[in-house]
Amino acid sequence: MSDTFKPKLVILISGRGSNMQSIVKAIQENELNAEVSAVISNRPEAPGLTFAQQSDITTRILDHKDFATRETFDQQLIELIDTFKPDYVVLAGFMRILSAEFVQHYANRLINIHPSLLPKFKGMHTHQRAIEAGETEHGATVHFVTEELDAGPVILQAKVPLMAYDTEQTLAARVLIEEHKLYPDALRLLIQQHQS
């Protein structure tokens, strides 16, 4: 394997794309040896698109509302992503459940970040559920995406302690700080593994 592996990333967002921004900044600051080929959003109004454009990254919009079914949207999304020939497809707040066909197409190349210490608290409202369960720690997980929701192999995790005063909002804010470090770290780890 070449020791100069510089993966091409296509990043999918639905909103502000703060994790996408952390990846782009890590690349700009030479902390991550990767290239963002495109940022794609399923929502035309996603604020993250503006950041990507200001960073001279190609952006595309594929509005899921224009498609009758999840499968037809996913098929069109595959065709769009594949024009950029990515090494990894990175989900950064992409608020869509993906079809089995999509997941299979990008097997071992599709990466997501989830705001819990998987396998705990799959799905939504993870911060509130962690508080209600009386957990002593919480965090975030970067993992490969498989057909089962939030169940793919873990790449890297970051932990934060749960405080007695925590609310869903305070906990979410602390976890998000860790997410912004975790995603570039996880991609760095994948690059190192590819080179070894």
Side-chain angles (χ1 to χ4, degrees):
M1 293 264 178
S2 165
D3 61 0
T4 56
F5 176 57
K6 185 177 184 178
K8 289 182 173 180
L9 312 177
V10 168
I11 304 179
L12 306 185
I13 65 170
S14 294
R16 70 185 189 278
S18 69
N19 275 304
M20 173 269 294
Q21 294 182 35
S22 72
I23 292 167
V24 170
K25 285 173 183 168
I27 292 169
Q28 290 169 340
E29 292 165 8
N30 294 318
E31 294 171 358
L32 178 62
N33 185 37
E35 171 190 343
V36 180
S37 300
V39 171
I40 300 172
S41 177
N42 64 312
R43 292 185 176 152
E45 73 285 356
L49 290 168
T50 303
F51 173 88
Q53 289 157 358
Q54 290 169 347
S55 301
D56 293 323
I57 296 169
T58 300
T59 58
R60 294 286 185 270
I61 296 164
L62 192 68
D63 192 339
H64 62 276
K65 296 189 192 114
D66 294 341
F67 296 85
T69 67
R70 184 186 309 281
E71 287 70 26
T72 53
F73 170 78
D74 280 8
Q75 187 54 50
Q76 196 65 46
L77 184 58
I78 286 171
E79 290 177 21
L80 176 58
I81 291 169
D82 283 355
T83 63
F84 296 101
K85 299 181 170 55
D87 295 290
Y88 296 110
V89 178
V90 178
L91 305 178
F94 188 63
M95 304 308 289
R96 299 278 301 166
I97 292 176
L98 296 161
S99 64
E101 180 189 11
F102 186 96
V103 171
Q104 288 162 7
H105 186 78
Y106 296 110
N108 303 315
R109 295 191 294 146
L110 185 60
I111 302 165
N112 184 44
I113 191 163
H114 180 75
S116 82
L117 296 173
L118 292 175
K120 290 183 176 179
F121 309 116
K122 298 175 182 179
M124 304 289 282
H125 310 296
T126 62
H127 308 303
Q128 187 61 41
R129 286 159 61 204
I131 292 169
E132 288 170 1
E135 296 289 318
T136 57
E137 61 181 13
H138 189 48
T141 304
V142 176
H143 65 99
F144 286 109
V145 177
T146 57
E147 291 173 49
E148 187 183 342
L149 183 68
D150 298 329
V154 170
I155 299 166
L156 205 59
Q157 292 185 317
K159 296 177 180 178
V160 300
L162 236 89
M163 305 299 187
Y165 59 77
D166 265 324
T167 64
E168 185 175 9
Q169 290 73 25
T170 61
L171 185 56
R174 287 212 320 285
V175 170
L176 190 62
I177 290 168
E178 295 306 314
E179 285 184 34
H180 292 164
K181 295 182 260 185
L182 180 66
Y183 226 156
D185 284 348
L187 289 166
R188 204 175 295 115
L189 182 64
L190 286 178
I191 293 167
Q192 288 168 356
Q193 289 173 347
H194 189 280
Q195 291 169 182
S196 59

